[in-house]
């Protein structure tokens, strides 16, 4: 935990779409974008094996990285634009003007630490902070007396000589969701490997769709959202004792948890049919372990009935009731908020209660994904103002590990922003078919407690 990653700056440059490829464009924020306006940037970080020297990377790889990024940005031009926040009553918007660019930073690790970063358990969070670019946090939107402009995307490549490379991002969620980000990365990698001319037939099958008028505000909630902007709570910035760990929930463990839940479900919930997808099973188990690890004294608190919330996002592309292209560039996700009482979650049937409320929330979203859309902002204010609440970010349905720049799949993927947000990250497992990787960042003592609860919890369910 005492080591801190050391890197040195090699180059910092600006990458724009090809000159003249995109006209100046203004994009309004849809009601699906507005909730993310004040959220901190997401910071995904990908590690790839690359057993070559820094000079080899600079001479044979770097130029193509820049060119392929430039070509990709012409199709995903909102990412290279800026978020404009004007004085009220004008509304924030995204603009692209010819010459806008993304900052690309190239760094080199001066410490042989690559293999340590790839282990799953107890890595100091500060070892990762120099591997991702940083975008400034957006402050309050009220009382702005002059127009403010914020970049939406930054990229950093860090070379670990003779070992590997990492590619880190900082992206504002207001411009695009994880589905869009994944499409952007796959396009960039495809153009990098093949060149635009050879990759164009693939790209033409699902050209990025940037027209935000496709999103219909049929419930008229946009004015409500502008009046109830969501300001998330962030960690205090003291990372000296915080560690990161990744837990892999495999299919066999999911089946054990699911079987245990079903064996007790009838007694508590009668004939009610529970939704026990891999996502629900994994999240219910993780939620209970996380809550117990974060409780100061479980024995004193077990009988209390105060609510605890579980927050997540749900894809909206297939749930809106009208067609939206899968290549849509923007946000097309909904909020889910499940609730259970403390005595339920900390009792002997905690996992069952967690699975019931998460599954019921997903069922409701399946029936009507926008059913509570007018309450999203107020719901999340209640959520953020509550005691111990857990939020998951990411989705195991987004195949991040299929990203390939020509060096094979990523060796490891981390979401660095969870250090500040306190979220739990999810993605598909790299090595276990059907498995889910769960990423956490906690103070060391709480991480050790979570680890024991996770291991012992699975053992007791067998």
């Amino acid at each position: 935990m005492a080591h801190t990653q050391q890197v040195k700056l090699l180059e910092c440059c600006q990458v724009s779409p090809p000159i003249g490829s995109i006209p100046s464009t203004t994009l309004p924020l849809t009601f699906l974008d507005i909730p993310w306006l004040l959220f901190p940037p997401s910071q995904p970080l990908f590690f790839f094996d690359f057993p070559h020297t820094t000079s080899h990377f600079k001479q044979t790889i770097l130029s193509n990285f820049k060119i392929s990024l430039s070509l990709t940005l012409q199709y995903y031009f909102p990412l290279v634009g800026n978020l404009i926040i004007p004085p009220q009553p004008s509304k924030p918007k995204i603009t692209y003007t010819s010459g806008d660019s993304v900052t690309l930073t190239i760094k080199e690790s001066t410490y042989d630490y690559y293999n340590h970063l790839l282990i799953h358990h107890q890595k100091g969070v500060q070892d990762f902070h120099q591997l991702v670019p940083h975008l400034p946090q957006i402050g309050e939107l009220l009382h702005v007396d002059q127009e403010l402009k914020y970049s939406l995307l930054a990229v950093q490549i860090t070379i670990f000589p003779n070992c590997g490379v990492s590619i880190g991002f900082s992206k504002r969620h207001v411009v695009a969701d994880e589905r869009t980000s994944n499409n952007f990365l796959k396009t960039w990698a495809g153009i990098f490997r093949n060149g635009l001319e050879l990759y164009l037939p693939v790209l033409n099958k699902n050209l990025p769709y940037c027209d935000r008028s496709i999103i219909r505000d049929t419930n008229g909630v946009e004015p409500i959202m502008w009046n109830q902007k969501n300001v998330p709570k962030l960690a205090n910035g003291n990372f000296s004792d915080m560690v990161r760990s990744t837990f892999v929930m495999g299919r066999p463990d999911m089946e054990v948890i699911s079987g245990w839940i079903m064996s007790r479900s009838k007694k508590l919930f009668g004939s009610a049919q529970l939704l026990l997808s891999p996502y629900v099973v994994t999240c219910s188990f993780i939620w209970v372990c996380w809550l117990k690890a974060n409780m100061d004294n479980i024995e004193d608190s077990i009988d209390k009935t105060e609510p605890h919330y579980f927050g997540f996002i749900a894809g909206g592309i297939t749930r809106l009731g009208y067609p939206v292209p899968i290549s849509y560039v923007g946000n097309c996700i909904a909020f889910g908020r499940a609730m259970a009482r403390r005595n339920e979650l900390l009792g002997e049937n905690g996992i069952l209660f967690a699975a019931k409320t998460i599954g019921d929330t997903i069922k409701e979203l399946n029936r009507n994904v926008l059913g509570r859309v007018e309450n999203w902002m107020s719901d999340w204010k209640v959520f953020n103002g509550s005691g111990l609440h857990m939020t998951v970010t990411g989705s195991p349905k987004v195949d991040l590990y299929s990203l390939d720049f020509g060096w094979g799949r990523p060796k490891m993927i981390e979401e660095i922003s969870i250090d500040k947000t306190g979220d739990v990250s999810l993605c598909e497992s790299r090595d276990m078919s059907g498995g889910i990787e769960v990423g956490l960042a906690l103070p060391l003592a709480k991480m050790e407690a979570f680890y024991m609860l996770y291991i012992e919890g699975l053992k007791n369910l067998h």
Side-chain angles (χ1 to χ4, degrees), residues 6 16 66 85 165 177 255 274 317 336 346 348 395 409 426 458:
Q6 300 295 320
S16 301
K66 296 177 183 178
I85 300 180
V165 297
D177 55 23
E255 291 171 2
L274 302 189
I317 284 285
L346 296 184
E348 64 177 1
S395 169
R409 296 186 303 149
L426 299 181
L458 286 176

Side-chain angles (χ1 to χ4, degrees), residues 137-317:
Q137 176 70 18
I138 297 174
E140 279 283 2
L141 302 184
L142 302 176
H143 312 302
V144 173
D145 56 8
Q146 61 181 356
E147 185 173 277
L148 303 177
K149 182 167 72 172
Y150 293 93
S151 297
L152 295 165
L153 175 69
V155 185
Q156 178 178 321
I157 300 168
T158 305
I159 305 162
F160 300 83
N162 300 308
C163 292
V165 297
S166 67
I167 307 177
F169 302 85
S170 190
K171 186 215 70 181
R172 299 195 192 279
H173 209 318
V174 69
V175 69
D177 55 23
E178 187 180 29
R179 170 195 50 80
T180 298
S181 299
N182 186 48
N183 291 341
F184 163 73
L185 290 174
K186 299 295 173 54
T187 301
W188 182 13
I191 294 175
F192 175 84
R193 291 194 318 269
N194 304 291
L196 179 58
E197 185 175 351
L198 290 178
Y199 189 71
L200 203 53
V202 176
L203 186 59
N204 282 334
K205 292 180 180 178
N206 281 300
L207 278 172
Y209 189 89
C210 299
D211 183 358
R212 298 201 170 194
S213 66
I214 192 72
I215 302 298
R216 308 171 192 167
D217 183 14
T218 55
N219 296 289
V221 298
E222 182 183 327
I224 298 174
M225 291 186 168
W226 281 124
N227 291 326
Q228 299 180 1
K229 290 173 282 294
N230 191 12
V231 184
K233 293 192 297 187
L234 302 179
N236 59 17
N238 180 15
F239 302 111
S240 59
D241 186 44
M242 288 189 69
V243 295
R244 304 179 65 88
S245 290
T246 299
F247 297 82
V248 182
M249 180 70 74
R251 281 286 191 178
D253 288 335
M254 294 178 192
E255 291 171 2
V256 168
I257 298 170
S258 181
W260 184 90
I261 291 172
M262 288 189 291
S263 71
R264 297 189 172 209
S265 174
K266 186 174 182 179
K267 183 177 180 180
L268 283 178
F269 303 120
S271 60
Q273 293 294 312
L274 302 189
L275 175 62
L276 295 177
S277 66
Y279 181 91
V280 171
V281 169
T282 299
C283 288
S284 60
F285 183 79
I286 295 298
W287 186 15
V288 171
C289 291
W290 182 93
L291 181 61
K292 290 179 178 180
N294 280 279
M295 296 294 297
D296 292 329
N297 192 325
I298 292 177
E299 295 302 322
D300 290 343
S301 306
I302 194 168
D303 292 329
K304 293 185 177 179
T305 59
E306 65 183 82
H308 289 283
Y309 298 102
F310 176 88
F312 62 98
I313 56 176
I317 284 285

Side-chain angles (χ1 to χ4, degrees), residues 244-247 286 390-396 413-418 421-427 436-441:
R244 304 179 65 88
S245 290
T246 299
F247 297 82
I286 295 298
M390 181 177 138
T391 310
V392 295
T393 183
S395 169
I413 301 172
E414 300 273 5
E415 175 52 60
I416 307 307
S417 67
I418 65 173
T421 63
D423 294 350
V424 173
S425 65
L426 299 181
C427 72
I436 296 176
E437 291 186 8
V438 182
L440 292 94

